[in-house]
Amino acid sequence: MKLQQNYGRTLIGVRTWPFFTDLAIAGVGLALFFAMVKLGTYWLASPMPAVEISHSVRALPLYAFYSIARIGIAYFFSLVFAVGYGYVAAYNPRIEGWMIALLDILQSIPVLSFLPGVMLAMIALVPGHQLGIELGSILLIFTGQVWNMAFSFYSSLKSIPREMLEASRIYRYSAWQRFWQLEMPSAAIGLIWNSIVSVAGGWFFLITCEMFPLGDRFFRLPGLGSYLQTAASANPVDVHALVWGLSLLVLIIVATDQLIWRPLIAWSDKFKLEQVESSTRVASPMLALIRRSAVLAKLPAQAWESLDERIYKKLARTRAAQVVQPVDDETKPDGRMLQIGIAVFAVLLIVWGGFEGYAMLKNVTWGDIKLLFLGAGATFLRVNAALAIAALWTIPAGVAIGFNPRLAKFLQPVTQIAASVPATALFPVLLLGLLRYGGGLGIGSIALMLLGTQWYILFNVIAGAMAIPSDLKEAAKLYKFTRWQTWTTLILPGIFPFLITGMVTASGGAWNASIVAEYFHIGDRTLETLGLGAQISAATDQGRFSILLLATILMALIVVTINRLVWRRLYRLAETRYKLEG
Amino acid sequence: MEQTIMDTAKLAGPGTEAIIRAERIEKYYAQPSENRIQVIAPTDLSIVSGEIVALLGPSGSGKSTMLRMLSGLSRPSAGKVYWHGKPIGDAEINVSIVFQSFALFPWLTVLENVEAPLKARGVPPEERRVCSMKMLDTVGLDGFEAAYPKELSGGMRQRVGFARALVVEPEVLFMDEPFSALDVLTAENLRSELLELWANKTMPTKSVFLVTHNIEEAVLLADRIIVLGRNPGYIRTDFRVQLAQPRDRKAEAFTQLVDYIYKVLTRPDVSLEEAPEAVRSPWTRGQRKTKYKMLPHARPGGIAGLLETLIDKGGRDDIYRLADDLALEIDDLLPIVDAAQLLGFLTIEEGDATITTQGTEFANSEILRQKEVFREAVLEHVLLIRQIERTLEAKSDHTVNEDYFLDMLDDQFSEEESQRQMETVIAWGRHAELFDFDGNRRRFVLPDALEEEEEGDDD
């Protein structure tokens, strides 16, 4: 009886859902079309550097749409760039080392320092259109998103099993087939997880780069970020608008998680390289729905297939597809020329940059430099204080969550969403509270760094605690380890590699966050504290490019040095000594 | 022996046209210091129509490298490979490889995996499907076309590997240890099915080239066997197998041939009468005098275990039988035998291992005395350990960095091999209690210079 009932219900599900999903999808398509029209007319309108921001709730959806469009476009370019960069780096051994070193450095440069330069360049590049300012902000979001994705794609390509690569060669795959059947599938999982991190980072920067002063000019783009900022800096503070804006932001983040990331994660399960079926899987009702939809499942697939077949047919006739290309072929004739070309270009760039930099730095005084170093010291202390506080609470909390599967199942998605809410959006609220109770930016800036970076540590600690084998835990219990013993001999060594991974990301993030955290406009006041980040922000405000340049270089240098000297060593230690092997 | 083995040169005369012909191909890797690591010495080799060729050799003899050069996957450092007389890089060759790890794409279904090579050749969808389904049927995977590889057992997965290889109707089918990742029964089953396909001409393949370390497998399948020697890889012998199919493992001629090949494999220093003159011709180009003997990667505990077994057998036994008794693959046993021989614990003659007096003492003593015997043996026979010990004694702080010795090894071995040599030296030195190794700082230390930290490798 029970069986029949179940059967009946699934039948109904199968019949009704596809119709509704198809209808919904058609609706979404129509909406997308109008959205593009709207975006186009706005972009091609004459430029309005400082758009008046309405605090009405009714204006919110449009603002949210503009913000989402910015992030979406920046993400699209990030993806394309990441794939291209990773591909070139992985397959050109002559320039590979250089490209990866460059990536490492670019990853360490504080994105927000680029803000003035990028904005001015883009406005000059596309004069007479709103598009210029927009492109500027999109480019900034792009630079905040792209590096870890490029790195992920590159390392996925490098870790394709050798025999699979050989199979693709001996069966004479074209580059096209290799890309879709070998390289992209191998990279998919890494790309998706990094996309999640990147888009969260994108929101962080979006909030700040929709509205900022630059020298004597003031830029403000219509968007969720400027809505929140103007609401916070109104006098008196517009709490109503702030609450609505934040709620919508959280809603968007939850929706992205449910409608995009979860289905993607569930779908990407088939790209795991492991040869046995794993037991844990991410479930996504959304994916099930899409799979059932007749329109989505069939139409694009058919269109794609007919195009695909033609490409394959054409490629099979090319010369390259008729011979087997050796895997270890490093004697490409054009490789040398390319390398020389890049070297010449790089040298020219360095020389030019050196001259420009020298000319710019001529008017910097010793006092400025001393102040910069002092600021660097203050920010250094602040970053490490934030890291220490984060580690202090996340380690016990993460271990507790990781050791308790039921708790983990409930709390993990919650923390993931909490982590995606950009700290920059919460910062004004937090700062207002602090100011009311007599705190200042000194504490506030540490709090913002904490807000932005503690999640990386928490996730990794949870993952680390879950990875500790249960027989080790049982052994600890069996031999009646004291609490102290359990922590020092089992838990801390067990989570060490994960903790380090989290700390590396958090440290870089905290340095970057200092630019927003140490210098803040609220109401008609400017709060400022001693720090390298504050100096970068102030230099942006006042248009002092020489200080901006010096401070940026200093910060990048500090981040790279700390990475090399501290984190990489700890990482190696984690890899060799504290690796839990089956 | 004479009736089972014949020289290839007499059989495959110059009239037979080779499908693949390699002329003095070699492989070496340039080193920063002017020396280079020679992996394969200049070698001539042809694959002709109508034969299954098995390539045998100890690990490190470059079997897989040879296969990859012949199939066009790897470019020889010098020399040329021809496909029907045309340089292989320009020819439209038609070969397949069956890989040890199967190398199936886990995100494609069984059918998609088999279809992929046809797709690369621009075969239209309908035809692709028909061919692939037929091939899946042939290898016994009817009904599994929609499954993903990870849902299948190892044997089934390798069947997919075969189907993918055969669906393009290759002229030469290369196989790189195709059965070694499978359990014994599954491997046996697949081998006989492969022979059946070959014998019935179900597959259009003209020649099969099999790389294996399993001597019985080679004798069971091959019409022609090539045995490689190592350091650098070269052809020790190349002969035809004159046994009728199906072959009986228990037949006298079969076991004789297996024994003969074992002898060839275990006595690398002795030249063979059967070997054609050309093989022993000067292939020493680019080679240096070797200073360090290549250490086999064996643990002291393994050596003791082998010697104890040998004493149980009366101090002398056939290596082939030893492997059988210890349930070891010959490839796993040979390093242990080599190590024992190098340390003077046993001697090898005619494929038989005989224990020496030192060997007997080593095996029979209690642990402290055993370590003493081992210490004397490594100091006498292993140059590098002697050097490390002397350097440590000479230095005031009694420690020295690993890199110092690695640099010396690097002149002679590849980076990877140097690393492995070093690991063996560390394991042996620790067992002999001559020195210890601080893994964090990568330094050698004298035992008394290090705080009490027993990281014994002795089992």
Side-chain angles (χ1 to χ4, degrees), chain B residues 180-196:
Chain B
S180 65
L182 306 174
D183 65 83
V184 183
L185 283 177
T186 312
E188 191 61 39
N189 199 0
L190 269 181
R191 270 195 286 267
S192 59
E193 280 181 40
L194 174 74
L195 268 181
E196 215 169 287

Short mmCIF file of all heavy atoms in Angstrom, two decimals, chain B residues 180-196:
data_model
loop_
_atom_site.label_atom_id
_atom_site.label_comp_id
_atom_site.label_asym_id
_atom_site.label_seq_id
_atom_site.Cartn_x
_atom_site.Cartn_y
_atom_site.Cartn_z
N SER B 180 48.56 -5.61 -14.63
CA SER B 180 49.24 -5.61 -13.33
C SER B 180 48.44 -4.95 -12.23
O SER B 180 48.73 -5.13 -11.06
CB SER B 180 50.62 -4.97 -13.45
OG SER B 180 50.48 -3.62 -13.75
N ALA B 181 47.41 -4.15 -12.59
CA ALA B 181 46.60 -3.54 -11.54
C ALA B 181 45.39 -4.43 -11.19
O ALA B 181 44.54 -4.02 -10.43
CB ALA B 181 46.12 -2.16 -11.98
N LEU B 182 45.34 -5.62 -11.77
CA LEU B 182 44.17 -6.49 -11.56
C LEU B 182 44.54 -7.68 -10.68
O LEU B 182 45.72 -8.04 -10.57
CB LEU B 182 43.67 -7.01 -12.91
CG LEU B 182 43.38 -5.94 -13.95
CD1 LEU B 182 43.03 -6.58 -15.28
CD2 LEU B 182 42.24 -5.06 -13.48
N ASP B 183 43.53 -8.29 -10.07
CA ASP B 183 43.83 -9.47 -9.27
C ASP B 183 44.13 -10.65 -10.20
O ASP B 183 43.85 -10.61 -11.40
CB ASP B 183 42.69 -9.79 -8.31
CG ASP B 183 41.44 -10.18 -9.03
OD1 ASP B 183 41.31 -11.35 -9.41
OD2 ASP B 183 40.60 -9.28 -9.26
N VAL B 184 44.73 -11.70 -9.63
CA VAL B 184 45.28 -12.80 -10.44
C VAL B 184 44.24 -13.42 -11.36
O VAL B 184 44.47 -13.62 -12.55
CB VAL B 184 45.88 -13.87 -9.51
CG1 VAL B 184 46.51 -14.97 -10.32
CG2 VAL B 184 46.88 -13.24 -8.57
N LEU B 185 43.07 -13.71 -10.80
CA LEU B 185 42.06 -14.42 -11.60
C LEU B 185 41.54 -13.56 -12.74
O LEU B 185 41.41 -14.01 -13.88
CB LEU B 185 40.89 -14.83 -10.70
CG LEU B 185 41.18 -16.06 -9.83
CD1 LEU B 185 39.99 -16.32 -8.92
CD2 LEU B 185 41.49 -17.26 -10.71
N THR B 186 41.25 -12.30 -12.42
CA THR B 186 40.76 -11.39 -13.45
C THR B 186 41.78 -11.23 -14.57
O THR B 186 41.43 -11.25 -15.75
CB THR B 186 40.46 -10.01 -12.83
OG1 THR B 186 39.71 -10.20 -11.65
CG2 THR B 186 39.72 -9.14 -13.78
N ALA B 187 43.03 -11.11 -14.16
CA ALA B 187 44.09 -10.93 -15.15
C ALA B 187 44.15 -12.16 -16.07
O ALA B 187 44.23 -12.04 -17.29
CB ALA B 187 45.42 -10.72 -14.45
N GLU B 188 44.10 -13.33 -15.47
CA GLU B 188 44.18 -14.57 -16.24
C GLU B 188 43.04 -14.64 -17.26
O GLU B 188 43.23 -14.97 -18.43
CB GLU B 188 44.09 -15.75 -15.25
CG GLU B 188 44.41 -17.10 -15.83
CD GLU B 188 45.83 -17.17 -16.37
OE1 GLU B 188 46.73 -16.59 -15.71
OE2 GLU B 188 46.03 -17.76 -17.44
N ASN B 189 41.87 -14.30 -16.79
CA ASN B 189 40.68 -14.31 -17.61
C ASN B 189 40.83 -13.36 -18.81
O ASN B 189 40.59 -13.74 -19.96
CB ASN B 189 39.51 -13.86 -16.72
CG ASN B 189 38.19 -14.26 -17.32
OD1 ASN B 189 38.17 -14.86 -18.39
ND2 ASN B 189 37.11 -13.91 -16.64
N LEU B 190 41.27 -12.14 -18.53
CA LEU B 190 41.42 -11.15 -19.59
C LEU B 190 42.49 -11.58 -20.59
O LEU B 190 42.34 -11.39 -21.80
CB LEU B 190 41.78 -9.80 -19.00
CG LEU B 190 40.63 -8.87 -18.65
CD1 LEU B 190 41.15 -7.56 -18.11
CD2 LEU B 190 39.78 -8.60 -19.90
N ARG B 191 43.57 -12.18 -20.08
CA ARG B 191 44.65 -12.62 -20.96
C ARG B 191 44.14 -13.65 -21.97
O ARG B 191 44.42 -13.56 -23.16
CB ARG B 191 45.77 -13.24 -20.12
CG ARG B 191 46.82 -12.26 -19.68
CD ARG B 191 48.05 -12.97 -19.19
NE ARG B 191 47.86 -13.58 -17.88
CZ ARG B 191 48.16 -12.98 -16.72
NH1 ARG B 191 48.67 -11.78 -16.71
NH2 ARG B 191 47.95 -13.59 -15.58
N SER B 192 43.37 -14.61 -21.46
CA SER B 192 42.93 -15.65 -22.39
C SER B 192 41.93 -15.10 -23.39
O SER B 192 41.90 -15.50 -24.55
CB SER B 192 42.37 -16.85 -21.63
OG SER B 192 41.29 -16.44 -20.84
N GLU B 193 41.12 -14.13 -22.95
CA GLU B 193 40.17 -13.52 -23.90
C GLU B 193 40.91 -12.73 -24.98
O GLU B 193 40.53 -12.75 -26.14
CB GLU B 193 39.20 -12.62 -23.16
CG GLU B 193 38.09 -13.41 -22.50
CD GLU B 193 37.09 -12.52 -21.79
OE1 GLU B 193 36.77 -11.45 -22.35
OE2 GLU B 193 36.65 -12.88 -20.69
N LEU B 194 41.98 -12.07 -24.54
CA LEU B 194 42.78 -11.31 -25.51
C LEU B 194 43.36 -12.26 -26.56
O LEU B 194 43.30 -12.02 -27.76
CB LEU B 194 43.91 -10.58 -24.79
CG LEU B 194 44.90 -9.87 -25.72
CD1 LEU B 194 44.28 -8.63 -26.31
CD2 LEU B 194 46.18 -9.52 -24.99
N LEU B 195 43.90 -13.41 -26.09
CA LEU B 195 44.48 -14.39 -27.00
C LEU B 195 43.43 -14.91 -27.98
O LEU B 195 43.71 -15.11 -29.15
CB LEU B 195 45.05 -15.56 -26.21
CG LEU B 195 46.52 -15.44 -25.82
CD1 LEU B 195 46.96 -16.67 -25.08
CD2 LEU B 195 47.39 -15.23 -27.06
N GLU B 196 42.24 -15.08 -27.46
CA GLU B 196 41.16 -15.57 -28.30
C GLU B 196 40.83 -14.58 -29.42
O GLU B 196 40.72 -14.96 -30.59
CB GLU B 196 39.93 -15.79 -27.43
CG GLU B 196 39.08 -16.97 -27.84
CD GLU B 196 38.07 -17.26 -26.76
OE1 GLU B 196 38.47 -17.78 -25.69
OE2 GLU B 196 36.90 -16.93 -26.96
#
